[in-house]
Amino acid sequence: MPQGDSEITVEAAATAPTPLLASRLAPAPLPEPVLVRPRLLRRLDEGTAGAVTVVSAPAGWGKTTLLATWARSVEPTPAWVSVEAGDTGARLWAYLAAALRTTAEQRPGGAELPAPPVPAAPPRPDQLEPLAAALAARERPVLLVLDDLHRVGDPAALAGLEFLLRHGGRLRLVVGARADLPPGLHRLRLAGELTSVGPDELAFTEDEVADLLTAHGVPVPAAVVPRLRERTGGWAAGLRFAALALRERPDPARAGEQFGGDHPDVAGYLREEVLDPLDEAARDALRRGAAVGAFRADLVDALTGRSDAERALTALAAPGGFLHRDDSRPPWYRCHPLLADVLRAELAGLGDGRRRELHLRASDWYAAHGRPAEALRHALAAGRWARATELLVRRWPDLVPYDREGADGPAPAPPPEEAVRRDPELGLAAAVERAHAGDPAAAAEQARRAAEAAPSLPVPRRDRFGRLAAAVDVTLARLAGDHDGVRRAAARLLATRTPAGPADDPRTGATDDADVRAAAGAALGLVALAEGDPRAAGEEFARALAAAREAGRPRTELLCASRSAVLHAARGELRAAERAAREALAMPPCQGWSCRVDCAHGYLALAVVALHRDRPEEAEASLALAAPATGEATAGALAALCRAPLLRDRGDPGEALRVLAAARGRLPGAGELAYALLAAEADLRAAHGDLDTARALLAGPPAAPDGPPPALAVALARVELRAGDARAAGYALPHWDGPEAAAWPLPVRLDAGVLDAALARAAGDERGAGRLLERVLELADPDGYRRVFTHAEPGVRDLLTAHLDSGTAHWPTVRELVRGAGEPGDGRAAAPERRLDEPLTERELTILRYLQSILSNVEIASELSLSVNTVKTHVRNIYRKLDATRRREAVRRARELRLL
């Protein structure tokens, strides 16, 4: 062949377009077995109402699997582009052009549109406008999925896409990436056009973990599921590794309990995908931070001897998933549990001396920053016995554990026998550390060793040891659920009071009287609360709170303030509850994932306050933060009383009943909360027509000599009113405004008063109804109650309107209530009235009802004996009239309009 011909051939090959891979233009293959996650599919469906939906998380969180599952569930299938590393702007746009042409040419019914003006190379501005106009003219949105968008190295490659999003109108972009959007697209967040799905939403719930194990054929006891969920943090790849590993083990239950970051597949994946891309400084910051559990940037600086941790941690926490950051200032960080296992394994290479130095630095930092429990743990891990004893002697009131949160990392080795014999208080320090870590058996063993060595102490030290041992015994008895043991140990502790002595004097062994009163009172308050005696608990917490403030013990102060907030909320004292809760949450111990149970009690109190003030979104948010507290029966009951009305408002009475019944089954004995749960369940059943069951529930508890409990009496009156018997309702309603009613929980009094006013108005006594309503407003207004009016019996809005016209001392409140009170028969506030510009026809209403189901258009056509094209035409009309673009969006808007 002549040389010239050869050169022409080479040149032609160099300029010829590179073939496109079909695999990059189709949804990624799904792993087997596939777990369909409806909550996330709904989230993506809802997101396509806006311009961009971003699914962002680090490696292994299931982004691609979710997008591919969703793409296969959508009709027609969205355009798909998988981005690869090294894609230039030209290469990426070639795939975008192919994808957009394919989807733009699709048309329901099989018809084809003219080819859209999609350029094959990065477009010039004059080429983008015709394409944007063509997309905007589409009858239905054009869905485009871009997976692994983080691989785009040049943000300029997305400039044309950004233009189309701004002007194309019907273009809907769904992105999967390990990082957030490029800077040019962040304005969409401000415009409300951006939906974000991050690691927190991608994380598997406990139910999804159980479903995944079942799909892999792994039978495990139910108790293993939450443990596995906790260890993996809901990380999709970790759970699949776990399922595969458990399937190969003869005892999957035990393997599930032991699964961690030491599993070879998990460790290899995390090193390759998460750790290897980091520079050594960032990796060392994570490694040393993982050694202490939760950490701040200045703590890591103290551990590394450098001053660059803040920059590294901020960058690592940005995508979330493997490094979590809280909202405090300065922020605290925590590594994913499996990643922490891998990092701690790397620490083994530092050598014993360097590890002891690391623990000693951590102990110094924690002691200087008011965290004696962590300081004690690291002093023991460093083998600094004298320092551990000193921390116990000087800080013991702050070392009393009040919950079972546990500690991060492996347990420090127990002090050697000879060290405990020389200093028995060292054994008590080790016992306190194990109690804090949630290991009462090991704590009891350390306390026993200390007690055996105590007789060798001189008399002054022996007295101090007795005080410290009594405090440890209080803790151990409480962790064991031995209420009588707590009382006996608390009595011994109170007997050691030395009011005349200086605080924490190491020479005389005297301790501050306020410390003893605070520690003993807090423990006794917790016992009273666990036994269902809120009045006694409130008194103990009030005394202990004052003593803790006097002694300057923030940890005990937090416990007492948070529990007091919950007790105020249960009584309906909203101002006091809110004040105590906000004071508790502002305390330093509530920073950085510490004291989660105590802080959760503060959020629970705020949730109750928000509910009564008719702020449902705020109540929902606070309830989510209150979850760690709901393991306790009293807090769980109060949470159920808050959650059930919210579920009822959302149209889920069945779940509301389940929540109430579960809480009632856990609450010990009778009492105000037990009666409130019973009354709420009866009211819910009566609201849905089950009057006989409601009456039976209220007739169940034995009547007291002075009549039924007020909450049950008010509930019975409401049941009779719903049954249409106003006379029986009036007979059942207790007298709510006398001196004896002052001791009732305020919500019960307000419910009774509003019901009494409604009965008076129904009987024609308008003036009497107005007087009763004014008295209710006097009681409700100072604390900001609103829900008692806005979700009251039918007729209350008219009563409020009439009261506004006749004159009231609470005119601004009544005016606000008249705007917010509704008239629905189930007690929920009425939805704002909305009308369609063009009403749906009878046939469209029929098809709309079918759209609630999972039937396809073909199946709906078969059900109604219509052609598929006719059904599709009706569906398009429904979408147009409801201003919707998707089936679920149309159903949601129809429900808002009460068409369904």
Side-chain angles (χ1 to χ4, degrees), residues 250 264 267 272 320 367 535 557 608 679 845:
E272 180 178 346
R535 292 185 186 279
E557 185 181 352
V608 176
L845 286 169

Side-chain angles (χ1 to χ4, degrees), residues 162-197:
E162 181 188 351
F163 181 91
L164 295 180
L165 287 171
R166 281 190 282 128
H167 301 287
R170 288 295 190 177
L171 181 61
R172 300 289 186 265
L173 182 63
V174 183
V175 171
R178 292 191 183 182
D180 208 346
L181 280 175
L185 298 178
H186 275 288
R187 59 164 195 81
L188 295 167
R189 195 184 307 276
L190 297 176
E193 289 289 318
L194 177 64
T195 297
S196 296
V197 180

Side-chain angles (χ1 to χ4, degrees), residues 228-249:
L228 202 56
R229 165 66 175 79
E230 179 185 1
R231 289 297 299 149
T232 62
W235 178 43
L239 285 166
R240 287 196 178 271
F241 282 136
L244 294 171
L246 268 56
R247 191 166 60 184
E248 298 170 357
R249 299 293 180 87

Side-chain angles (χ1 to χ4, degrees), residues 216 235-246 259 263 265-267 269-270:
H216 278 81
W235 178 43
L239 285 166
R240 287 196 178 271
F241 282 136
L244 294 171
L246 268 56
F259 184 80
H263 188 280
D265 289 336
V266 173
Y269 189 97
L270 289 174

Side-chain angles (χ1 to χ4, degrees), residues 270 278 368 372 439 454 490 601 613 626 722:
L270 289 174
L278 303 178
D439 189 352
H601 279 81
R613 290 177 177 170
R722 290 187 186 280

Side-chain angles (χ1 to χ4, degrees), residues 103-124:
T103 191
E105 290 166 2
Q106 295 173 349
R107 183 184 181 93
E112 292 188 358
L113 292 174
V118 184
R124 303 185 307 273

Side-chain angles (χ1 to χ4, degrees), residues 207-466:
D207 288 342
E208 289 169 342
V209 172
D211 291 342
L212 184 67
L213 293 175
T214 301
H216 278 81
V218 180
V220 296
V224 175
V225 171
R227 164 69 176 164
L228 202 56
R229 165 66 175 79
E230 179 185 1
R231 289 297 299 149
T232 62
W235 178 43
L239 285 166
R240 287 196 178 271
F241 282 136
L244 294 171
L246 268 56
R247 191 166 60 184
E248 298 170 357
R249 299 293 180 87
D251 186 357
R254 186 178 180 199
E257 290 285 352
Q258 297 175 344
F259 184 80
D262 57 349
H263 188 280
D265 289 336
V266 173
Y269 189 97
L270 289 174
R271 287 194 179 100
E272 180 178 346
E273 295 288 347
V274 179
L275 296 177
D276 288 350
L278 303 178
D279 60 49
E280 183 52 35
R283 187 163 181 164
D284 191 47
L286 277 185
R287 184 187 299 125
R288 292 173 185 262
V292 298
F295 47 90
R296 276 182 6 193
D298 53 343
L299 170 55
V300 174
D301 286 339
L303 298 178
T304 61
R306 298 191 300 270
S307 58
D308 55 356
E310 183 172 5
R311 176 187 58 80
L313 294 176
T314 300
L316 292 171
F322 291 110
L323 184 63
H324 303 281
R325 176 175 55 198
D326 77 350
D327 294 328
S328 58
R329 292 291 180 270
W332 283 78
Y333 300 87
R334 183 191 292 275
C335 286
H336 185 281
L338 297 181
L339 181 62
D341 289 345
V342 174
L343 291 166
R344 291 190 190 109
E346 292 187 355
L347 281 173
L350 292 179
D352 292 343
R354 293 179 66 187
R355 286 201 304 274
R356 281 195 296 270
E357 175 64 22
L358 180 67
H359 287 299
L360 186 57
R361 290 186 181 189
S363 180
D364 290 342
W365 189 93
Y366 280 121
H369 288 79
R371 292 178 178 262
E374 292 91 337
L376 174 61
R377 178 161 55 89
H378 288 285
L380 290 168
R384 297 293 294 268
W385 311 132
R387 179 172 181 76
T389 300
E390 180 189 9
L391 281 166
L392 176 69
V393 171
R394 290 186 173 276
R395 308 292 294 274
W396 70 265
D398 291 327
L399 289 169
V400 175
Y402 293 115
D403 49 50
R404 297 172 178 265
E405 292 180 8
D408 290 297
E417 198 69 39
E418 61 273 15
V420 175
R421 280 199 299 269
R422 286 194 306 269
D423 184 2
E425 289 168 336
L426 174 61
L428 293 181
V432 167
E433 188 279 327
R434 284 294 83 201
H436 256 286
D439 189 352
E445 173 60 21
Q446 296 301 324
R448 183 194 61 77
R449 292 174 62 200
E452 290 176 351
S456 63
L457 288 169
V459 173
R461 289 278 305 277
R462 201 178 302 164
D463 292 342
R464 187 175 73 183
F465 181 90

